[in-house]
Amino acid sequence: NLDDSIVAVDKASEDVFMGEPDVSFFGCDGEDDKTSADYCFDSYSHFGIHEEMLKDVVRTKTYQNVIYRNKFLFQNKVVLDVGAGTGILSLFCAKAGAAHVYAVECSHMADMAKQIVETNGLPDVVTVLKGKIEEIELPVAKVDIIISEWMGYFLLFENMLNTVLYARDKWLVIDDEVVLPDEASLYLTAIEDADYKDDKIEFWNNVYGFDMSCIKKQAMMEPFVDTVDQKQIVTNCHLLKTMDISKMVPGDASFTASFKLIAERDDYIHAFVAYFDVSFTKCHKLMGFSTGPRSRATHWKQTVLYLEDVLTICEGETIIGSMTVAPNKKNPRDVDIMVKYSLSGRRCVVSRVQFYKMR
C-alpha cells in the first residue's frame, strides 16, 4: 500500500544519509568529479556557457553565414580554430570544403568536441587538439586561415585575443593570410538610467534600515553587463578604437582614446555604455555584427559604467573625455578602465576621473 511505500522510501533514505555515504552517487571515485575550484581553471568546461553561445543566433549565424557564403576562402585550405569549444566553427569550415581543420581547445570541452566530430562523420577533416595554443604543436608548419570567436564582454574582458595573435605569428602563412574576424571596434555612448542606478547603486544607502553606503564606491567601480534599451540613449555613439586583428600586436589592446558625446535631447545622464562591433572584411560582401543597444541582442549585451554625478545635459551640449583601457597587471584576463570626462553646460558643470575594474 501507499503508506508502506512511503515508509520504505523514508527507510531507504535514512540508510543512505545515516550510514556511510554512497560515494559512487557523488562521482567521487571517477576522474569526471570536478569542484568549483577546478572550474576556476576550466570554466569553459561548463556546458551552460557553450549553450548560451550557440543559442546566440547573432553570433553563431554570422559565423555560419561568413563561412557558407564565402566557400572560396575555405576550399582546400588548412584552417586553425582557436578556442574551438564544441567545435561548431570547425564543423562549419569542414562543410565549406576545408582540406583540414585543427580545432584547439584547452578545456575539457575538447573531449566532447572529439566525440561531436566523430558523431558527425568528420574525423578525417577535423582534428581536435586539447591544450593551450602556446603549448601545443600542430602537425603542420603553416595554416591558411585562423578563425576564432575570441571576444569577451567589453570586447576585451576574459578575451583570447593574445592567443589568436600568438597563433597568427607562429602558424599563419605570410601571403594571402586570412584571420576571421579581422576587425573589432569599441564604441561609447551615454544613457539615462535613473531607475536601474537607484536599484544597483543607491540601494546601499538604506539596506533594511542600515547604512551600507561604504559599498557604493566599490559597486560604482564594477561595470555592469546588461541589456540597454535604445530609448535610454541620450547622445551619439563615438568610435573609441578599431583593432585590425591581422596586423596588430598584443600591446595594441592597451590604449587611451578621446571621445566627444553630443546630446541629442535634453535629459539626464547616469552612465556611459560601451559595446563592440566585429567585421569580416575578406568576404565577398562585408559581413559582421554589432553588440550595440540598437542591434539585436547578443550574449555579450552591453557594458554599463555608472557615473558618480548625474549629468543634466541640454540638446547640443558636449561631454568630452578620454578612456584608458589596459589588462590588469595581476590577471591579464581582467580589465582596468579609467574614464576622464567633463561637461560645461547651461545647467551642469562637472569634471571628473573615474576608475573601473572588470573582474
Side-chain angles (χ1 to χ4, degrees), residues 111-175:
D111 302 323
M112 291 286 104
K114 285 179 186 176
Q115 287 185 43
I116 290 165
V117 168
E118 291 273 351
T119 302
N120 288 277
L122 291 167
D124 295 337
V125 184
V126 180
T127 301
V128 179
L129 300 169
K130 186 176 182 179
K132 294 182 178 178
I133 280 283
E134 295 84 356
E135 296 171 4
I136 63 151
E137 282 303 322
L138 289 183
V140 292
K142 293 291 177 183
V143 300
D144 302 298
I145 299 171
I146 289 176
I147 193 165
S148 181
E149 193 275 83
W150 56 265
M151 300 78 71
Y153 297 127
F154 188 70
L155 185 60
L156 297 169
F157 176 61
E158 291 191 342
N159 73 84
M160 295 190 303
L161 178 57
N162 283 354
T163 301
V164 171
L165 300 182
Y166 178 92
R168 180 200 68 186
D169 294 343
K170 184 169 183 179
W171 284 301
L172 193 62
V173 294
I174 304 294
D175 300 323

Side-chain angles (χ1 to χ4, degrees), residues 260-307:
K260 184 177 180 182
L261 299 176
I262 304 167
E264 296 174 345
R265 63 172 186 258
D266 296 355
D267 212 329
Y268 300 100
I269 289 173
H270 299 89
F272 293 133
V273 172
Y275 64 92
F276 65 89
D277 295 356
V278 294
S279 301
F280 301 79
T281 70
K282 297 287 174 74
C283 301
H284 270 311
K285 293 181 179 177
L286 178 65
M287 299 180 76
F289 62 84
S290 175
T291 65
R294 289 192 171 101
S295 301
R296 185 172 174 182
T298 71
H299 78 280
W300 287 285
K301 303 177 183 175
Q302 290 90 40
T303 303
V304 181
L305 302 100
Y306 283 111
L307 306 181

Side-chain angles (χ1 to χ4, degrees), residues 53-64:
M53 291 191 290
L54 290 168
K55 285 181 175 176
D56 182 339
V57 177
V58 173
R59 164 200 180 267
T60 310
K61 205 69 179 154
T62 299
Y63 276 90
Q64 185 185 44

Side-chain angles (χ1 to χ4, degrees), residues 24-35:
S24 65
F25 172 78
F26 295 103
C28 297
D29 55 349
E31 62 177 19
D32 288 337
D33 180 54
K34 296 179 76 63
T35 67

Side-chain angles (χ1 to χ4, degrees), residues 1-2 13 41 57 105 122 192-193 200 210 226 291 345:
N1 91 13
L2 186 60
S13 302
F41 300 100
V57 177
E105 173 58 43
L122 291 167
E192 181 281 322
D193 202 20
K200 301 300 288 186
F210 295 97
D226 208 348
T291 65

